[in-house]
Amino acid sequence: MKFFFKINNRFNVKKSILNPPFGGWGGFFFFLIFVTSCIETVDIDTKDVKPKIVLNGIIEADSAITVRISKTYPFTNDFYENHGRGSSESTDTIVPNFLPQAKPVLYINDVQQGELNFVKNDTSFSSNGSVFHSEFRPKVGDKVKIEVSASGFETVWAETVIPQPIQIHQVDTSTFITKENYGYVDGYVIPDDAKSLNMALGINIENPNKEKEGFYSIEIYQEWMIYYYWIDEHGWMHPDIITGSYMNKRNLELNTSREPLFSENTEDQVLQFFLEDGHSKSKLYFTDKQFENKRYKLNLSVWGYYFHQQYSSGYEIKPEFHDEPLIISILSMSPEMYRASNNDYSEMDNYLQLFSEPEVTFTNVHNGVGVLGSCSSTKMKVVIPRYTGEY
C-alpha cells in the first residue's frame, strides 16, 4: 500500500528576525530567501511496519513512579479527526496508541518489586497513552528498571540511575541598573520604578559525585498562594471564607551575558546572531564539564521580580504587589533525561528547522521507543528587599 502526502515547511518566527543586527530591510530579504515554503511528494510503504511499545517516564527521587505506555502507529491514521478521542474512556480504535493491556514490571537494583497498576487512558498530553503507577519511592543512587510486555508486541525495557542532587553552597546577590528595555508577555506589570532594576546572582554549586559527570537544568521563579473565596447566592464574595487554593508560579527569564558556561551551546549562539543579542530563557541546561574540582560559580541575573497584575485605575482598588523571594531550582538529571530534554530544547530547532535534516528521535528503550529518565532537585530561596516604589 502506498500513501502520498505533502510536506509544507512552515513555522512561527519572532518579529525581531526582521530587524537583525546587520540591518532592517536586509534582514527582511534574508528572511524571505530562507523562509520559503516547499511541497514534496513522498512514497511510503507501510505494509511491513510493525508497531512497537512506547515507554515514557521521568522518575524523581523519593517520589512515586508514574509512566506512560503506548504504541507506535502509522502517521496516516486520522484519529485526531474523531470527535470521541477526548474521552478518557475512548477505545483503542478511537485513540490508536492506547495500550491498557500492557504489563509493566518494576525492578529496583535488579530486585523485582511487582507490576505497575493501570490508572487511565489519557489524552490530555500531546503524547497520548495509558498511564501506569506504582507507590514505590526509589532513593538517590537506585537503579530503576521497567520491563513492559503486551500481547502481540516485543517485550521492551529501560533503566535509569537516580542521580545525586547538586549542592548549592551560597548565593551572592547585588542589584544593578540597566537602561535596556525588557518586557514580559505573561500578563503582569512591571512598575516604572522597577524597570531598570536587575538582580545579579552568584550561585556557588558543587557536584558531590566526584566519579560521574553531572547533567543539570536551572530555573528561577517566584511563587505565591492564590485563594478562592466563597461567593453566596447573591453574588457577594466573602474573603473570610476560603473554599480552595493553589500555588501560582512565575518563571523569571535568565540573563547569561556574564556566564561563559552556556556559550558551549553553539547552535543558540548562531540563533542570537540572526535574532537579537542577549537572548534570555526561563530554563537553562548545562553539564559540569567546565567545573573545577566539581565546583563552579554560576553568574546570572534576572529582571522583573517586582510586579503586579494589570488593573483599571479608577474602577478597581490597587492590586496586590508581588516581591516574593526568588527560588533557585536546579534539577540534576540522568544522562538520558538530559540528552532528551536538551535536544528538544534547542532554540535552533524551534526557529530554524528548515536549515537541518530530519533527526532521529533519542530513545533509551530497548526494542521499543521512548525515554525513561530520572532526576533529583535542589532548591534555595533568596529573599529580596521589599518594594517601596510606586505602582
Side-chain angles (χ1 to χ4, degrees):
M1 182 182 301
K2 292 188 177 181
F3 296 95
F4 299 89
F5 70 99
K6 293 180 179 180
I7 300 176
N8 190 358
N9 289 329
R10 298 179 303 167
F11 52 88
N12 295 322
V13 180
K14 287 187 176 179
K15 185 177 180 181
S16 55
I17 196 171
L18 299 181
N19 188 24
F22 46 81
W25 283 107
F28 177 71
F29 289 118
F30 174 86
F31 172 82
L32 291 179
I33 291 172
F34 285 97
V35 188
T36 55
S37 178
C38 65
I39 297 177
E40 179 181 354
T41 301
V42 180
D43 296 349
I44 295 181
D45 192 343
T46 63
K47 63 181 180 180
D48 295 325
V49 176
K50 184 179 180 180
K52 295 183 177 182
I53 292 177
V54 180
L55 169 64
N56 284 300
I58 300 300
I59 301 170
E60 189 169 357
D62 304 314
S63 299
I65 297 173
T66 298
V67 298
R68 188 178 299 268
I69 299 175
S70 56
K71 61 185 177 183
T72 59
Y73 57 92
F75 78 97
T76 51
N77 191 293
D78 61 352
F79 78 96
Y80 282 103
E81 303 298 326
N82 192 310
H83 296 294
R85 80 173 189 90
S87 169
S88 62
E89 303 301 323
S90 299
T91 66
D92 198 43
T93 57
I94 293 177
V95 181
N97 58 337
F98 283 167
L99 201 59
Q101 72 272 23
K103 295 188 179 300
V105 180
L106 173 66
Y107 297 84
I108 302 295
N109 300 321
D110 298 322
V111 178
Q112 183 174 329
Q113 304 295 329
E115 292 187 10
L116 282 76
N117 299 314
F118 172 74
V119 177
K120 62 179 179 179
N121 290 327
D122 190 7
T123 61
S124 60
F125 292 87
S126 58
S127 56
N128 301 318
S130 303
V131 179
F132 291 80
H133 180 81
S134 171
E135 277 299 319
F136 191 95
R137 299 171 186 266
K139 305 294 183 182
V140 169
D142 281 348
K143 181 174 71 173
V144 181
K145 176 182 175 181
I146 295 180
E147 183 181 270
V148 184
S149 59
S151 177
F153 293 86
E154 186 175 3
T155 298
V156 306
W157 64 272
E159 64 182 22
T160 181
V161 177
I162 299 181
Q164 284 187 270
I166 199 169
Q167 296 174 352
I168 303 178
H169 293 301
Q170 180 180 329
V171 178
D172 302 319
T173 64
S174 63
T175 302
F176 66 97
I177 306 297
T178 66
K179 295 182 179 180
E180 294 187 44
N181 185 20
Y182 300 106
Y184 276 104
V185 292
D186 59 3
Y188 295 102
V189 177
I190 313 299
D192 290 339
D193 290 350
K195 285 184 176 179
S196 61
L197 297 179
N198 291 255
M199 179 72 69
L201 301 166
I203 308 169
N204 294 275
I205 55 179
E206 179 182 3
N207 178 3
N209 191 332
K210 307 302 181 184
E211 306 299 325
K212 292 185 178 180
E213 185 177 1
F215 304 89
Y216 309 101
S217 69
I218 181 172
E219 60 179 343
I220 300 177
Y221 59 90
Q222 294 165 285
E223 60 182 9
W224 63 96
M225 190 69 72
I226 291 182
Y227 297 97
Y228 295 113
Y229 301 102
W230 180 55
I231 299 178
D232 62 25
E233 63 274 15
H234 304 293
W236 291 96
M237 184 178 70
H238 296 262
D240 56 329
I241 304 177
I242 299 175
T243 60
S245 64
Y246 69 94
M247 187 67 75
N248 196 41
K249 174 184 175 182
R250 178 174 183 260
N251 279 74
L252 297 173
E253 293 189 355
L254 309 181
N255 188 326
T256 63
S257 59
R258 301 184 305 125
E259 179 47 70
L261 181 67
F262 300 102
S263 63
E264 62 186 27
N265 192 336
T266 55
E267 283 188 341
D268 287 346
Q269 281 191 318
V270 174
L271 178 72
Q272 289 179 20
F273 175 78
F274 287 124
L275 296 183
E276 55 185 315
D277 292 330
H279 190 70
S280 58
K281 310 165 188 174
S282 61
K283 179 178 285 189
L284 300 169
Y285 293 85
F286 62 100
T287 71
D288 66 357
K289 289 181 180 179
Q290 298 184 38
F291 288 17
E292 185 174 338
N293 194 27
K294 296 293 184 176
R295 288 174 173 262
Y296 196 84
K297 183 176 182 178
L298 287 170
N299 289 291
L300 305 173
S301 64
V302 293
W303 172 90
Y305 42 86
Y306 294 129
F307 62 95
H308 62 78
Q309 287 185 296
Q310 183 66 58
Y311 71 105
S312 300
S313 178
Y315 294 92
E316 302 176 27
I317 61 173
K318 288 190 174 182
E320 178 185 1
F321 205 91
H322 292 284
D323 50 14
E324 283 83 8
L326 308 182
I327 298 176
I328 300 172
S329 177
I330 301 181
L331 202 64
S332 302
M333 297 181 284
S334 61
E336 60 278 348
M337 180 181 173
Y338 175 84
R339 181 176 175 185
S341 301
N342 199 28
N343 284 353
D344 291 341
Y345 180 78
S346 173
E347 295 275 355
M348 291 291 284
D349 291 339
N350 291 335
Y351 295 110
L352 304 177
Q353 295 177 10
L354 80 168
F355 285 175
S356 60
E357 295 295 327
E359 62 182 43
V360 178
T361 300
F362 171 76
T363 177
N364 67 326
V365 178
H366 297 261
N367 306 324
V369 183
V371 177
L372 182 70
S374 58
C375 62
S376 55
S377 63
T378 304
K379 296 180 181 180
M380 177 172 285
K381 185 178 294 186
V382 178
V383 177
I384 62 177
R386 301 289 297 181
Y387 180 73
T388 58
E390 296 294 327
Y391 282 82

